[in-house]
Amino acid sequence: EVQLVETGGGLIQPGGSLRLSCAASGFTVSRNYMNWVRQAPGKGLEWVSVIYSGGTTYYGDSVKGRFTISRDNSKNTLYLQMNSLRAEDTAVYYCARALGSSSCIYFDYWGQGILVTVSS
Amino acid sequence: SYELTQPPSVSVSPGQTASITCSGDRLGDKYGCWYQQKPGQSPVLVIYENNKRPSGIPERFSGSNSGNTATLTISGTQATDEADYYCQAWDSSTACVFGGGTKLTVL
């Protein structure tokens, strides 16, 4: 059974750093496209970042230069290092596995989400 | 950057057909998919590759994509279908894009 479990969220002051983890089971993280998607309170879904199976990474414009996606193959775990956090980064962060290729990529499994609150 | 536009809300009576649109420049040249999200829950994939249903998704959910518009259609809408629905596409320059979401009300 595929499972994704996010940890590492919480309350952080503006300008601070936080690292989210997503422990995967039932499949191999390194063989899939793994993503972070966030949802601000009462708002819609916003894609944050992807790491492809080959290791290439991409980021949304709002987090580029501040967030870093990575994975630990030995732990089958995905990470999101978040630096220079701002109030507008406050959101539930979801880890999601993507399937497909080229322009046909979709998310078939999602974690339960973890809340990150950026506030003084 | 690429954008997808959805109506903020759609209302439907039980048993009727609900249609939720998603507009984007030449969206029909890409593949569209749809997610259902109920309050306090993670999104669930209901349509992928424009018109395919994942295992476990009822047949009343269908999709289409042509020109600049993708459409999610729910036939015989049930009260349990009340939720937020998001379209999503993958663009070569922007990577992943979500629509703003549509709140479906069944009344």
Side-chain angles (χ1 to χ4, degrees):
Chain A
E1 180 191 6
V2 171
Q3 278 197 321
L4 296 166
V5 179
E6 302 97 336
T7 56
L11 176 63
I12 187 75
Q13 291 189 340
S17 297
L18 205 60
R19 189 179 80 158
L20 303 182
S21 300
C22 172
S25 57
F27 73 100
T28 303
V29 163
S30 63
R31 295 178 184 173
N32 286 268
Y33 301 165
M34 296 300 299
N35 296 256
W36 290 97
V37 177
R38 69 183 181 183
Q39 186 170 35
K43 302 297 184 181
L45 301 173
E46 179 188 12
W47 175 77
V48 173
S49 181
V50 62
I51 181 166
Y52 288 127
S53 51
T56 302
T57 60
Y58 291 96
Y59 300 89
D61 288 342
S62 62
V63 307
K64 203 171 295 183
R66 300 187 299 124
F67 289 12
T68 302
I69 191 171
S70 63
R71 66 190 182 209
D72 185 328
N73 297 343
S74 66
K75 296 181 178 179
N76 209 35
T77 298
L78 178 73
Y79 301 101
L80 184 67
Q81 177 67 42
M82 303 184 294
N83 298 331
S84 302
L85 283 161
R86 308 166 180 167
E88 53 265 36
D89 295 319
T90 294
V92 172
Y93 284 74
Y94 295 100
C95 165
R97 185 181 81 167
L99 292 182
S101 62
S102 185
S103 64
C104 181
I105 299 177
Y106 52 91
F107 305 108
D108 65 335
Y109 283 98
W110 299 67
Q112 84 286 357
I114 190 82
L115 178 62
V116 172
T117 303
V118 184
S119 175
S120 55
Chain B
S1 62
Y2 194 77
E3 295 183 358
L4 295 174
T5 302
Q6 298 179 235
S9 63
V10 168
S11 297
V12 64
S13 300
Q16 298 304 301
T17 297
S19 294
I20 301 174
T21 58
C22 174
S23 299
D25 183 47
R26 302 181 67 176
L27 180 56
D29 292 343
K30 308 179 190 299
Y31 287 95
C33 55
W34 293 89
Y35 302 88
Q36 176 194 70
Q37 186 181 34
K38 296 182 178 180
Q41 298 183 17
S42 302
V44 173
L45 179 70
V46 295
I47 293 290
Y48 68 101
E49 290 185 22
N50 295 331
N51 54 20
K52 297 181 179 178
R53 280 179 293 105
S55 174
I57 300 302
E59 290 184 7
R60 64 179 181 273
F61 287 86
S62 63
S64 64
N65 185 15
S66 179
N68 295 322
T69 304
T71 303
L72 173 68
T73 302
I74 309 173
S75 304
T77 307
Q78 300 181 4
T80 54
D81 299 328
E82 187 163 287
D84 293 328
Y85 290 86
Y86 296 89
C87 61
Q88 177 247 314
W90 205 274
D91 177 72
S92 58
S93 60
T94 316
C96 179
V97 181
F98 286 101
T102 299
K103 181 177 180 60
L104 177 67
T105 301
V106 182
L107 36 70

